[in-house]
Amino acid sequence: MSASGRIALKSPLDPELLRALRPAGVPAGILALTGVLTWAAPMPDSLEGLQIAGPYAVLVIATAMAWGFNRGRAFVIAATLLAAFAVNQFWAGTRVHHLLVVMVPLNVLAAMLWPERGARYRASYGWLALLAAEALLLAWAHKSAGGANFIWSPMPLFGRVAFAVAFAATVWRAWPEFTALQVGNAAALAAFFIASIWVQTPAVHSAFMSAAGVILIIALLAESHRLAFRDTLTGLPGRRALEERLRSLGGRFVIAMVDVDHFKKFNDTHGHDIGDQVLKLVAARLAEVGGGGIAFRYGGEEFSVLFPGATLEEALPHLDAIRASIEGYRMAVRAPDRPKSGEEGSKLRGGGEKSGNPEQHLSVTVSIGASRPKKDARAPAQVIKAADEALYRAKQGGRNRVST
């Protein structure tokens, strides 16, 4: 309750949840725009050919991009949607359509359950064989129906259940990273669901099939950008992202170079898995730096923190605070014979049994060197070099300190 006597309501929107759902903004916008355009601005008769050519074009491009970028799940979804659109053009009918609204989500479900191994590998030919087998089944269904093209009940109950299960699988697979491609896979399935409901209205059906292809194309481009500019181990922006950011800076900024102390000893003593955990720990702490600082993975055990528009005096307290935060954290190392389940461990402790190798706690420290543009060193590369020299002085001075 506030001083005025009013009850202060906390916003139900969690910032972390909003950040995770941010990649959903573009697909949701595409779906909403498609719905508005199909309702408010129907396609003129002169452009009627785009109802067929448009979905083919974007879905072929999406399939080719998924193959070229070696994204297995996106390839399965794009190829399945392309085949489904083609089948609806040539073999329209109730029996065929009902098979499609089950086959498409089941293909997506299988792709979500199958490990991501890329599109260009030997097992991927199994997906092509599956699509071919499904095409034969659909051809038989069309022939046995006598070529009837009337569709009743565009989305039967079993189709809705299949879509619900497949969509839940796409969300499960996306959790908790929610990358643009993972969200795009789910949104493309949603677009096909809407298109299937409106299959008896060719303009709407084609519009949402096109939307599915556009969503996948944009998601694949975003995924390519993410892989190029973000470090996969730590989740921080990578060195290329730092170089891009430095090009847009003015003459007032601070760069800090951060190095994990005795990192080689961590690897040699505890193995590379623990070394990776150390890097993730340091990255997670650096990501919380205040003062407008932005953390980057520079390479190896070295990180960078950029303070755009800040002075050295403004940046130093935040750098020392993050150094102290890392120093104060104790990282637990699981003993080789420690039970993996909590229940099993509780039984051992209750029975008085002790592990031969007790859990260890490691202390991690970092050394930091910071610099700013000077009269004789204004270029970003020169400032980074000066920060590296300051880092060397921090190492020489005993480590676990900030030097300028």
Side-chain angles (χ1 to χ4, degrees):
M1 183 176 291
S2 65
S4 62
R6 296 178 180 178
I7 298 176
L9 296 178
K10 186 178 179 181
S11 173
L13 299 179
D14 183 9
E16 291 297 325
L17 178 62
L18 291 176
R19 190 177 300 110
L21 295 179
R22 189 179 301 165
V26 171
I30 292 173
L31 292 175
L33 181 61
T34 302
V36 170
L37 290 178
T38 54
W39 172 72
M43 186 176 294
D45 294 340
S46 60
L47 298 178
E48 190 175 352
L50 286 178
Q51 290 184 10
I52 297 177
Y56 273 129
V58 293
L59 289 171
V60 165
I61 292 172
T63 303
M65 287 179 60
W67 180 270
F69 291 170
N70 202 28
R71 301 288 94 188
R73 294 192 182 108
F75 172 74
V76 171
I77 295 173
T80 299
L81 294 182
L82 175 60
F85 182 74
V87 167
N88 261 326
Q89 297 305 307
F90 292 100
W91 299 334
T94 297
R95 189 173 297 178
V96 169
H97 180 70
H98 284 180
L99 282 173
L100 280 178
V101 297
V102 173
M103 285 179 174
V104 171
L106 288 184
N107 283 4
V108 174
L109 175 63
M112 294 302 114
L113 297 177
W114 193 260
E116 174 64 82
R117 294 177 179 172
R120 301 191 306 270
Y121 73 110
R122 185 175 302 174
S124 67
Y125 298 113
W127 291 110
L128 298 177
L130 174 63
L131 291 176
E134 290 174 344
L136 292 175
L137 176 60
L138 290 165
W140 170 84
H142 175 69
K143 185 176 181 181
S144 64
N149 60 7
F150 176 75
I151 299 176
W152 58 273
S153 183
M155 185 53 63
L157 177 60
F158 53 81
R160 296 174 189 271
V161 172
F163 270 105
V165 173
F167 187 79
T170 61
V171 175
W172 163 74
R173 182 57 74 176
W175 185 272
E177 296 90 357
F178 285 107
T179 66
L181 185 55
Q182 292 169 337
V183 173
N185 290 338
L189 179 62
F192 180 73
F193 178 79
I194 300 172
S196 298
I197 292 176
W198 291 90
V199 68
Q200 294 172 317
T201 308
V204 178
H205 176 76
S206 296
F208 278 97
M209 291 300 291
S210 297
V214 171
I215 287 170
L216 287 174
I217 290 171
I218 294 176
L220 285 162
L221 291 173
E223 176 76 356
S224 177
H225 181 275
R226 184 183 71 88
L227 293 176
F229 286 87
R230 191 164 290 273
D231 177 60
T232 55
L233 175 65
T234 63
L236 292 179
R239 183 169 179 172
R240 184 179 295 182
L242 172 63
E243 293 170 349
E244 288 289 326
R245 187 63 186 267
L246 288 173
R247 293 193 184 103
S248 63
L249 290 178
R252 180 175 169 177
F253 61 91
V254 173
I255 294 179
M257 301 302 293
V258 183
D259 189 82
V260 181
D261 295 328
H262 305 294
F263 182 71
K264 186 176 184 300
K265 184 182 293 185
F266 281 111
N267 275 337
D268 293 344
T269 305
H270 303 285
H272 290 284
D273 288 344
I274 299 302
D276 287 347
Q277 293 299 318
V278 169
L279 294 176
K280 290 179 181 179
L281 161 66
V282 172
R285 295 286 164 164
L286 289 176
E288 299 173 354
V289 65
I294 307 169
F296 299 85
R297 172 88 182 276
Y298 197 74
E301 69 269 27
E302 200 167 19
F303 299 83
S304 299
V305 181
L306 175 65
F307 293 88
T311 64
L312 200 57
E313 291 73 19
E314 293 170 339
L316 285 177
H318 299 288
L319 290 172
D320 196 60
I322 210 69
R323 177 205 59 78
S325 172
I326 294 171
E327 179 190 17
Y329 189 86
R330 293 294 180 269
M331 190 178 80
V333 179
R334 184 183 291 273
D337 62 346
R338 178 183 172 183
K340 293 186 178 181
S341 70
E343 183 179 351
E344 187 178 347
S346 298
K347 289 180 180 179
L348 287 176
R349 288 191 295 272
E353 299 180 48
K354 295 183 179 180
S355 171
N357 293 306
E359 187 178 71
Q360 302 179 47
H361 288 81
L362 302 181
S363 177
V364 182
T365 62
V366 296
S367 299
I368 304 175
S371 187
R372 58 172 176 80
K374 302 175 183 177
K375 290 183 179 180
D376 56 343
R378 291 186 174 275
Q382 294 174 312
V383 182
I384 290 177
K385 182 178 180 182
D388 264 327
E389 293 171 352
L391 173 62
Y392 178 77
R393 291 192 291 272
K395 293 282 190 182
Q396 292 297 107
R399 295 183 171 84
N400 190 26
R401 62 190 63 209
V402 181
S403 180
T404 60

